[in-house]
Amino acid sequence: MQKPSALATRVAVYPGSFDPVHNGHIDIIERGCPIFDEVVVAVLNNTSKNPLFSTEERVEILQEVLADQPHCRVESFSGLLVDFMSEIGARTIVRGLRAVSDFEAEFQMALMNRRLDPRVETVFLTPKEEYSYLSSRLTKEVFLLGGDLEGLVPKEVLERMRERVKRPQE
Ligand code: ADP
């Protein structure tokens, strides 16, 4: 039997800011892993967004959280996603669709990426209903106001947020 070439390996990229990673993201990664040979979680190095965690910290947190996922690795990237994909030999983008409100922006991005590189396809996965309202922005807001994030973000994230963020009651 012929061995599959590197390009026959189905490598998918799951890009995002992950500031911080929450259980909705993890749910999408866990759904993607059995579909592909490898899922590369790609942390966007977005210098302009004034993030809570630096790119290096976000990569480190994701590596800790995903340590038990053998077909998954974490990288950071800057610039065009399609260029990063070309570098690592990936052809598929995984994105999460929470609700209709995500659709418009995701649709535009999928078509733009395909225009930039016609070999690239985007697939959409939907999370468990209980995570469909979760966003990184909301987790940060709730945490800052003293809300409980137990069950919504991994414990590694919660620990780091407690170290990083001063809350009103603390
Ligand atoms: P952005 O890169 O726009 O800041 P995120 O880093 O928050 O977005 O998210 C990266 C990807 O994860 C996107 O495809 C987004 O739709 C998806 N995602 C975000 N939150 C959830 C969730 N609660 N359930 C499923 N997918 C999600």
Side-chain angles (χ1 to χ4, degrees), residues 39-43 58-59 62-63 66 72-76:
V39 173
V40 179
V41 180
V43 179
R58 283 179 275 149
V59 168
L62 275 155
Q63 280 169 340
L66 298 171
C72 182
R73 72 184 152 98
V74 186
E75 303 250 352
S76 64

Side-chain angles (χ1 to χ4, degrees), residues 14-18 22 24-25 28 49 95-98 102 106 127 131 134 136:
Y14 179 45
S17 301
F18 307 109
H22 56 63
H25 296 130
I28 295 295
K49 260 189 161 180
R95 294 288 288 178
L97 266 192
R98 285 165 284 201
D102 278 342
E106 291 292 343
Y131 300 139
L134 251 188
S136 296

Side-chain angles (χ1 to χ4, degrees), residues 35-75:
I35 304 175
F36 301 98
D37 296 316
E38 187 175 38
V39 173
V40 179
V41 180
V43 179
L44 177 63
N45 188 6
N46 43 356
T47 42
S48 60
K49 260 189 161 180
N50 190 23
L52 173 62
F53 294 113
S54 70
T55 308
E56 294 73 26
E57 287 173 310
R58 283 179 275 149
V59 168
E60 204 177 285
I61 295 170
L62 275 155
Q63 280 169 340
E64 282 171 26
V65 172
L66 298 171
D68 60 349
Q69 294 283 343
H71 302 294
C72 182
R73 72 184 152 98
V74 186
E75 303 250 352

Side-chain angles (χ1 to χ4, degrees), residues 19-31:
D19 185 43
V21 61
H22 56 63
N23 288 351
H25 296 130
I26 304 295
D27 185 272
I28 295 295
I29 295 166
E30 286 174 348
R31 283 170 203 284

